[in-house]
């Protein structure tokens, strides 16, 4: 499949309100996005940039001028997106209405709200709500899946964030021996978490794990922490998991993936799932350490 010593962030938070609507363009297989296409959410020194015209994707996440998210230009190699789970219901490529087509845009009560078209194949509509928590410096992204099919359906939410594979470390709370399939990536236990020091191979790899409601990545002086509902082993969609990590072949990109509970929806019902994003300066090496884990724990206590 193509698949934190913590520094306090400024309490000021703002939602960009310029709603220009030109289309994103494809040129030679590459995605071209003009600045006027995009909307921005800020929380202190952190800025998230979203493109409603290109699937409501998060294109950029910066601490001051330092970027965390992959900026590769080939499709399915950049930004952060949202899919429905399980994947077996749509296989590949990603559902166009959720991943690539335009979302409507409005501002509600200080939040930026983007809504997809109804998927022709799956009969779901996706709503993404972007806001901030000024008290702790988080950017708060809430995903809503709405059942427009006219029949009872089961579905889970799934966030996919692509970062550059250039020497970082991925970590989360799970014994390394419980990560499946075994041997796919060199995860090691340290300081009470499982750690993957990124490496490069000629093949694509992916793991599943039952985590504890958070997933983190440290690289190039930044620490990305995402927190979400902790699931027990029975709650993910069939064949899926609370935490997944996909490593693309070569020195390209890694997908940090998290999923919510597999939920039964009657016609017209919706599920809501929230991910809190923290992007922090990390004046330490990108390797397993008690310091990095402590920064994560401090963020988790804020949920």
């Amino acid at each position: 499949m193509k698949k934190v010593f913590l520094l306090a962030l400024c309490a000021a938070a703002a939602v960009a309100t310029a709603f220009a609507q030109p289309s994103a363009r494809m040129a030679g297989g590459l995605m071209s996005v003009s600045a006027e296409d995009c909307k921005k959410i800020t929380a202190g020194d952190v800025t998230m940039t979203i493109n409603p015209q290109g699937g409501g994707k998060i294109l950029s996440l910066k601490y001051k001028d330092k970027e965390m998210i992959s900026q590769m230009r080939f499709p399915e190699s950049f930004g952060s997106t949202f899919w429905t789970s399980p994947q077996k219901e749509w296989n590949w490529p990603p559902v166009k209405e959720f991943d690539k087509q335009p979302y409507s845009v409005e501002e509600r009560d200080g939040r930026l709200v983007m809504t997809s078209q109804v998927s022709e194949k799956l009969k779901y509509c996706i709503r993404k709500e972007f806001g901030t928590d000024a008290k702790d410096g988080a950017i708060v992204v809430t995903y809503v899946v709405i059942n427009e099919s006219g029949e009872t359906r089961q579905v889970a939410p799934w966030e996919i964030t692509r970062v550059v594979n250039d020497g970082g470390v991925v970590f989360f709370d799970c014994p390394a021996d419980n990560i499946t399939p075994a041997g796919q990536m060199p995860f090691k236990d340290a300081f009470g978490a499982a750690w993957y020091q990124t490496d490069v191979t000629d093949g694509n790899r992916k793991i599943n794990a039952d985590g504890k409601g958070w997933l983190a990545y440290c690289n190039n002086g930044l620490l990305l922490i995402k927190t979400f509902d902790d699931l027990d082993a029975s709650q993910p969609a069939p064949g899926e998991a609370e935490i997944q990590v996909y490593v693309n072949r070569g020195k390209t990109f890694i997908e940090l993936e998290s999923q919510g509970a597999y939920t039964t929806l009657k016609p017209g019902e919706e599920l809501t799932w929230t991910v809190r994003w923290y992007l922090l300066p990390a004046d330490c090496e990108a390797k397993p350490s008690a310091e990095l884990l402590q920064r994560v724990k401090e963020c988790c206590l804020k949920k």
Side-chain angles (χ1 to χ4, degrees), residues 22-41:
S23 297
R25 296 163 291 284
M26 294 296 294
L30 305 179
M31 179 67 74
S32 174
V33 182
S34 62
E36 63 267 26
D37 287 339
C38 298
K39 315 304 172 192
K40 294 186 177 183
I41 295 286

Side-chain angles (χ1 to χ4, degrees), residues 83-278:
W83 301 331
T84 58
S85 178
Q87 186 175 355
K88 66 181 181 181
E89 291 191 343
W90 50 268
N91 195 24
W92 196 259
V95 177
K96 60 186 179 180
E97 293 90 348
F98 306 158
D99 191 73
K100 292 182 175 61
Q101 291 188 349
Y103 280 53
S104 65
V105 185
E106 59 182 313
E107 187 179 1
R108 299 182 191 167
D109 302 321
R111 291 173 294 123
L112 192 62
V113 179
M114 301 185 185
T115 306
S116 77
Q117 302 172 51
V118 177
S119 165
E120 182 178 353
K121 180 177 182 178
L122 298 181
K123 308 302 181 184
Y124 295 126
C125 175
I126 304 301
R127 187 168 72 243
K128 302 179 180 182
E129 303 178 3
F130 301 89
T132 62
D133 185 329
K135 184 177 180 179
D136 70 4
I139 293 179
V140 183
V141 185
T142 297
Y143 300 100
V144 182
V145 181
I146 307 164
N147 180 9
E148 302 283 6
S149 71
E151 60 184 20
T152 299
R153 304 284 303 279
Q154 287 184 290
V155 66
W158 185 3
E159 184 185 70
I160 302 91
T161 302
R162 301 176 179 118
V163 295
V164 176
N165 184 2
D166 63 351
V169 62
V170 179
F171 59 110
F172 49 84
D173 191 342
C174 176
D177 287 347
N178 292 353
I179 296 171
T180 59
Q184 277 285 296
M185 299 175 212
F187 273 91
K188 297 181 179 181
D189 292 310
F191 306 102
W195 306 75
Y196 162 57
Q197 200 80 51
T198 62
D199 62 343
V200 175
T201 67
D202 292 332
N204 302 329
R205 297 165 290 161
K206 184 175 182 179
I207 59 88
N208 295 328
D210 178 17
K212 297 297 181 183
W214 62 267
L215 175 59
Y217 178 67
C218 182
N219 194 22
N220 296 324
L222 293 177
L223 175 61
L224 172 63
I225 304 167
K226 299 203 288 183
T227 67
F228 37 84
D229 291 338
D230 179 22
L231 306 184
D232 64 42
S234 68
Q235 289 182 286
E240 304 288 349
E242 177 186 329
I243 289 175
Q244 300 174 314
V245 179
Y246 167 81
V247 181
N248 196 62
R249 66 172 61 91
K251 194 174 182 179
T252 52
F253 67 93
I254 296 171
E255 292 181 345
L256 308 175
E257 309 180 15
S258 52
Q259 297 197 21
Y262 195 45
T263 303
T264 299
L265 297 180
K266 295 179 181 179
E269 288 187 333
E270 59 187 48
L271 71 80
T272 300
W273 182 63
T274 296
V275 182
R276 298 174 68 86
W277 295 54
Y278 302 87

Side-chain angles (χ1 to χ4, degrees), residues 283-295:
D283 298 325
C284 58
E285 292 186 64
K287 66 179 184 180
S289 71
E291 181 183 2
L292 283 177
L293 192 59
Q294 179 60 31
R295 294 174 184 180

